């Protein structure tokens, strides 16, 4: 049986998803926010449940991903400049956390930040 919904992205806080939601809805794509009300009542548990999931119907997946990729914010360094992938030189990286091991699953804020290039997939540490 085919999945009815596709998760486009997950956001740490409910407010973070609203711009993407508005853009997708303005393009005629129905949007569903999974766990939004849970995090509105207790935002501290965001890491534990994986944040607010922005979902669309599976039939709208490709169009939604295309729109999301056009407007998404990519990672920037402490100097405000985009993170450049050392492998392919693309400026399309996002913060990445592995959350390996029980300690980092329980205390994700202790894990050192890494960046994942959305172009080639390489994972790097900030300089």
């Amino acid at each position: 049986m085919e999945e009815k919904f596709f998760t486009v992205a997950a956001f740490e806080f409910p407010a973070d998803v609203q711009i993407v939601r508005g853009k997708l809805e303005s393009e005629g794509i129905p949007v569903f926010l999974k766990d939004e009300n849970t995090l509105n009542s207790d935002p501290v548990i965001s890491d534990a449940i994986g944040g607010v999931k922005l979902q669309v119907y599976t039939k709208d997946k490709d169009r939604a991903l295309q729109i999301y990729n056009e407007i998404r914010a990519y990672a920037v360094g402490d100097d405000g400049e985009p993170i450049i992938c050392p492998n392919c030189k693309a400026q399309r990286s996002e913060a990445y956390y592995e959350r390996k091991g029980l300690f980092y699953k329980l205390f994700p804020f202790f894990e050192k930040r890494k960046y994942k290039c959305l172009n080639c997939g390489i994972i790097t540490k900030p300089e």
Side-chain angles (χ1 to χ4, degrees), residues 5-118:
F5 297 105
F6 174 77
T7 302
V8 174
F11 299 83
E12 187 174 3
F13 300 109
D16 296 342
V17 73
Q18 298 305 324
I19 292 174
V20 179
R21 176 188 188 179
K23 177 63 175 170
L24 291 174
E25 288 178 342
S26 75
E27 297 286 335
I29 299 174
V31 173
F32 306 92
L33 301 179
K34 185 176 180 184
D35 296 325
E36 177 187 29
N37 292 332
T38 303
L39 291 180
N40 278 333
S41 64
D42 190 359
V44 176
I45 65 169
S46 181
D47 284 334
I49 65 171
V52 178
K53 285 72 139 186
L54 184 136
Q55 297 183 323
V56 297
Y57 287 119
T58 304
K59 65 181 177 67
D60 296 324
K61 167 188 168 183
D62 294 332
R63 200 160 137 244
L65 284 172
Q66 179 184 8
I67 293 167
Y68 176 61
N69 285 330
E70 289 172 4
I71 65 170
R72 74 195 307 172
Y74 297 110
V76 295
D78 294 336
D79 57 0
E81 295 295 318
I83 300 295
I84 298 172
C85 175
N87 185 46
C88 69
K89 308 301 182 218
Q91 296 181 0
R92 298 180 59 227
S93 294
E94 287 185 330
Y96 176 79
Y97 299 95
E98 290 176 313
R99 297 208 170 103
K100 284 186 177 177
L102 182 60
F103 180 77
Y104 290 125
K105 287 180 182 175
L106 293 173
F107 305 104
F109 41 85
F110 283 117
E111 185 176 355
K112 300 255 189 266
R113 179 181 307 204
K114 297 178 191 94
Y115 296 101
K116 181 176 184 176
C117 177
L118 299 174

